Amino acid sequence: MNTLIDFDIPSRLDIVEAAERIRPYIHHTPVLQCEQFNDLFQANILFKCENFQKAGAFKSRGAVNAVFSLTQDEIDRGVCTHSSGNHAQAMARAAALRKCKAYIVMPETSPKVKVNAVKHYGGMITFCKPTLEARERTLQEIRQKTGAIEIHPYNNLKIITAQASAARELFLEYNDLDMILTPVGGGGLLSGTALAAKYFSSHTKVIACEPAGADDAYRSFHDQKFYPSLNPKTIADGLLTSLGSYTFPLILEYVDTIVKVQEDSIIHAMKLIWERMKIIVEPSAAVTLAAILEKQIDTKGMKIALILSGGNVDLNKLPWS
Amino acid sequence: MNTLIDFDIPSRLDIVEAAERIRPYIHHTPVLQCEQFNDLFQANILFKCENFQKAGAFKSRGAVNAVFSLTQDEIDRGVCTHSSGNHAQAMARAAALRKCKAYIVMPETSPKVKVNAVKHYGGMITFCKPTLEARERTLQEIRQKTGAIEIHPYNNLKIITAQASAARELFLEYNDLDMILTPVGGGGLLSGTALAAKYFSSHTKVIACEPAGADDAYRSFHDQKFYPSLNPKTIADGLLTSLGSYTFPLILEYVDTIVKVQEDSIIHAMKLIWERMKIIVEPSAAVTLAAILEKQIDTKGMKIALILSGGNVDLNKLPWS
């Protein structure tokens, strides 16, 4: 056990309880296969389609769990977060379900489609300059003014235990997976997946994939030393963030390895999924197939699950056009 | 019974037999729903996802049935067709499954992605000028040279009975559909769907949707008089063709109505399906939702199935970019 774990590790029961709590409000997403990919990689590849999840990404699991774990007093104060992406939509939706105010700080450069989605769910947006510093300062002002409860997008055990539910669904349906692959950004999905593998699978390896242009988790894992994400450059806009004080220790302890992939592989993988599977995934969701395309992982004869983390894409601005 | 029906109408058993024949080689495609569309249209809308069908379109059903109905002598001669679209891929694939040669005549302007798909399945392509006259002449030359059996993309009873299997799957799963909507081009899917409704549903209305820029079926149906498709102009490239001597009489007899939709509605509907459902459909598949968007059909309180006919799109050339 690494010494960074100075908190209670979420238990098997915590994950089961989170899954039960969110069940009425999220999709049990389908698992798809594509014969062409199986042939191409001589493997049995399962795609867990969180792009079909409510609000278009796995983030709905964590957001619902965090919001529905609050007391009525806390709910009366509202919730707040800063996010330019899927967590913002997921939080706005979860808050609406619990009839609670959601204050969302978004950088003024956020894509219109994401801003509209937050508005669609009734989230109250405050725009700020597109820097981490401005986002945090604006959020703090809102917190002070409203007393709203902050829900961090990933460094929060309620979030992590709920993100684990996606992998748990997989393990309950397939008890013979050799590997499970997820993207890694802040590490909420990855640490949750690793916990699910620990509790609900016998021998499944947990492998994370990260863009080379935002490889802070890769370096942190292999050097066993935390590096923040500084000036990340990748099309995978969901994977720009640093690991957190919960996610990094859990990843160090329970993840088998992290690999990194090139930008052109991410775009190629994303386009392949669109073309062959006829489903829409965002760049962040394509890093796992990119790792297989790059032969970063030996797939031959293996049964492998890939978590397609989300499908929120600006259709007017595709990476190959 | 209209006097144009001078052939044996495919029977219930013909459709069941076709469904059995093709079953090992095609997908029983999923039916998806989208809460946002249900709310928006105050209806229960089911999407039959033939975009997830083998080779990306319902055409695989007909092609497999036609090829697998041939005798070994016929198979030894090979099959041929002209098509710039989904029928070409479906025929190449069906022929490969039966280890039979497939001669495909394609206009030299065919999108590269479609040409590559035909090659992928081992189809032998002959390019020609992009006119119906050149396509038919080139096909005739191939037929004379090789003795290959021509499989027409829609005006063929083996094709029609197999296209009926998509709607039959729907009716077996949902016995309370008020309406079923399909696109109409040459009328293979539509006439098959109408036959399936006649045999496998009690009261489901069959409604076809056609682009206003290629409204020959609309006019033929309402005037009860065959008009060929002359200079069609629409982004729905699967719906450019004329009705045939089998499809037109069946449509006249068994279809409830045909509506037409504008180009901008087709593009809007297509984009909505991509954005909200995270699935890829081609423009031709979006004409049914376009008709609902245009309020051509009163959906309120209805249970409606839409056949999403295909998902083959050139991702480098999207209609909204």
Side-chain angles (χ1 to χ4, degrees):
Chain A
M1 189 74 53
N2 68 69
T3 54
L4 295 171
I5 301 188
D6 57 358
F7 52 89
D8 288 339
I9 296 170
S11 69
R12 190 178 202 283
L13 186 63
D14 289 334
I15 294 174
V16 173
E17 279 179 353
E20 282 303 307
R21 186 176 295 118
I22 68 179
R23 189 211 293 270
Y25 310 106
I26 63 138
H27 287 307
H28 181 126
T29 51
V31 175
L32 298 184
Q33 293 205 53
C34 176
E35 221 172 84
Q36 292 181 51
F37 289 144
N38 286 345
D39 292 348
L40 189 60
F41 302 114
Q42 299 183 275
N44 189 355
I45 303 183
L46 309 171
F47 294 88
K48 175 71 170 167
C49 290
E50 289 293 301
N51 55 328
F52 293 158
Q53 188 50 269
K54 291 284 186 184
F58 75 92
K59 294 277 185 181
S60 277
R61 297 177 184 265
V64 167
N65 193 43
V67 170
F68 280 74
S69 295
L70 296 178
T71 63
Q72 189 57 48
D73 270 3
E74 290 170 320
I75 286 295
D76 291 343
R77 291 155 61 190
V79 293
C80 64
T81 197
H82 66 78
S83 164
S84 61
N86 292 332
H87 180 62
Q89 298 178 48
M91 281 299 298
R93 175 177 173 271
L97 287 169
R98 199 140 174 223
K99 301 193 193 324
C100 144
K101 282 184 180 157
Y103 304 95
I104 314 286
V105 175
M106 298 185 85
E108 58 200 14
T109 51
S110 303
K112 204 176 153 202
V113 60
K114 304 217 169 183
V115 173
N116 287 344
V118 171
K119 284 185 186 163
H120 167 79
Y121 292 118
M124 284 170 294
I125 303 174
T126 306
F127 290 103
C128 69
K129 298 268 171 226
T131 68
L132 185 60
E133 194 270 326
R135 286 162 66 150
E136 288 183 340
R137 185 167 28 82
T138 311
L139 183 62
Q140 202 189 333
E141 286 165 14
I142 286 174
R143 229 171 33 223
Q144 284 170 348
K145 202 159 62 184
T146 64
I149 309 289
E150 181 183 350
I151 309 284
H152 192 276
Y154 51 88
N155 203 43
N156 172 321
L157 292 175
K158 291 290 178 190
I159 298 281
I160 292 168
T161 50
Q163 313 309 30
S165 65
R168 179 171 172 264
E169 288 172 13
L170 266 168
F171 293 130
L172 295 182
E173 284 164 64
Y174 302 90
N175 60 11
D176 56 350
L177 293 174
D178 296 303
M179 297 178 203
I180 186 165
L181 272 58
T182 81
V184 57
L189 179 64
L190 176 57
S191 57
T193 300
L195 287 172
K198 163 181 155 70
Y199 294 126
F200 304 103
S201 85
S202 54
H203 69 284
T204 309
K205 287 213 164 119
V206 179
I207 299 174
C209 307
E210 192 176 40
D215 68 348
D216 56 294
Y218 172 88
R219 289 181 294 119
S220 299
F221 180 82
H222 290 287
D223 290 358
Q224 302 195 37
K225 182 181 158 204
F226 174 76
Y227 298 111
S229 177
L230 299 174
N231 305 315
K233 274 197 77 167
T234 173
I235 191 161
D237 57 346
L239 308 180
L240 300 170
T241 43
S242 305
L243 297 176
S245 58
Y246 294 119
T247 57
F248 177 47
L250 291 171
I251 287 168
L252 260 191
E253 191 67 28
Y254 298 116
V255 169
D256 289 281
T257 194
I258 300 183
V259 301
K260 56 182 179 177
V261 297
Q262 303 303 314
E263 289 297 290
D264 54 355
S265 310
I266 298 172
I267 296 170
H268 182 203
M270 177 176 165
K271 200 174 180 193
L272 268 183
I273 292 170
W274 287 41
E275 277 176 358
R276 305 293 167 87
M277 299 182 69
K278 313 295 181 195
I279 63 175
I280 290 178
V281 295
E282 58 192 57
S284 305
V287 294
T288 51
L289 188 68
I292 296 179
L293 281 172
E294 281 190 12
K295 299 189 201 302
Q296 298 274 354
I297 300 159
D298 184 16
T299 57
K300 201 166 171 183
M302 299 281 183
K303 189 159 183 176
I304 307 166
L306 273 56
I307 301 189
L308 295 178
S309 48
N312 293 324
V313 179
D314 184 347
L315 294 175
N316 296 315
K317 234 170 106 182
L318 296 178
W320 49 76
S321 62
Chain B
M1 190 73 53
N2 68 69
T3 54
L4 295 170
I5 299 186
D6 57 359
F7 52 89
D8 286 338
I9 295 170
S11 68
R12 192 178 200 282
L13 186 62
D14 289 332
I15 295 174
V16 172
E17 279 179 353
E20 282 303 308
R21 187 176 295 117
I22 67 179
R23 188 211 295 269
Y25 309 106
I26 63 138
H27 287 308
H28 180 126
T29 50
V31 175
L32 297 184
Q33 293 205 52
C34 175
E35 219 172 86
Q36 291 181 53
F37 288 145
N38 285 346
D39 292 347
L40 189 60
F41 302 115
Q42 297 184 273
N44 189 355
I45 303 183
L46 309 171
F47 294 88
K48 175 71 169 166
C49 290
E50 289 294 300
N51 55 327
F52 293 157
Q53 188 50 269
K54 291 284 186 186
F58 75 91
K59 294 276 186 182
S60 276
R61 296 176 182 265
V64 167
N65 193 44
V67 170
F68 280 73
S69 296
L70 296 177
T71 64
Q72 189 57 49
D73 271 3
E74 291 170 319
I75 285 296
D76 292 343
R77 291 155 62 188
V79 293
C80 64
T81 198
H82 66 78
S83 164
S84 60
N86 293 332
H87 180 62
Q89 298 178 50
M91 281 299 298
R93 176 178 172 271
L97 286 170
R98 203 149 168 213
K99 301 191 194 323
C100 146
K101 284 184 178 156
Y103 304 96
I104 314 286
V105 175
M106 298 184 85
E108 59 201 13
T109 51
S110 303
K112 204 175 153 203
V113 59
K114 303 218 168 185
V115 172
N116 287 345
V118 171
K119 284 185 185 163
H120 167 80
Y121 292 117
M124 284 171 293
I125 302 174
T126 306
F127 290 103
C128 70
K129 297 269 172 223
T131 66
L132 184 60
E133 194 271 325
R135 286 162 66 148
E136 287 182 341
R137 185 167 29 80
T138 310
L139 183 62
Q140 203 190 332
E141 286 165 15
I142 286 174
R143 230 173 31 225
Q144 283 170 350
K145 200 159 62 184
T146 64
I149 309 289
E150 181 183 351
I151 309 284
H152 193 275
Y154 53 86
N155 203 42
N156 173 321
L157 292 175
K158 291 289 178 193
I159 298 280
I160 292 168
T161 50
Q163 313 308 31
S165 66
R168 178 171 172 265
E169 288 172 13
L170 264 170
F171 293 129
L172 295 182
E173 284 164 65
Y174 301 90
N175 62 10
D176 55 350
L177 293 175
D178 296 303
M179 300 177 199
I180 186 166
L181 272 57
T182 81
V184 57
L189 178 64
L190 176 58
S191 57
T193 300
L195 287 171
K198 162 180 154 76
Y199 293 125
F200 304 102
S201 85
S202 55
H203 69 284
T204 309
K205 285 210 163 122
V206 178
I207 299 175
C209 308
E210 192 176 41
D215 68 347
D216 56 295
Y218 172 89
R219 289 181 293 119
S220 298
F221 179 83
H222 290 288
D223 290 357
Q224 301 194 38
K225 181 180 159 202
F226 174 77
Y227 299 110
S229 176
L230 299 175
N231 305 314
K233 274 197 77 164
T234 173
I235 191 158
D237 57 344
L239 307 180
L240 300 170
T241 42
S242 304
L243 297 176
S245 58
Y246 294 118
T247 57
F248 177 47
L250 290 172
I251 287 167
L252 259 192
E253 192 67 28
Y254 297 116
V255 169
D256 289 281
T257 194
I258 301 183
V259 300
K260 56 181 178 178
V261 297
Q262 303 303 314
E263 288 298 289
D264 54 355
S265 309
I266 298 172
I267 296 170
H268 181 203
M270 176 176 165
K271 201 174 179 195
L272 268 184
I273 292 169
W274 287 42
E275 279 176 355
R276 305 294 168 88
M277 299 182 70
K278 313 296 181 194
I279 63 175
I280 290 178
V281 295
E282 58 192 58
S284 304
V287 294
T288 50
L289 188 67
I292 295 178
L293 281 172
E294 283 189 9
K295 300 189 200 303
Q296 298 275 352
I297 299 159
D298 184 15
T299 56
K300 202 168 170 182
M302 299 280 182
K303 190 160 184 175
I304 308 166
L306 273 56
I307 300 188
L308 295 179
S309 48
N312 293 325
V313 180
D314 184 347
L315 294 176
N316 296 315
K317 235 172 105 180
L318 296 178
W320 50 75
S321 63

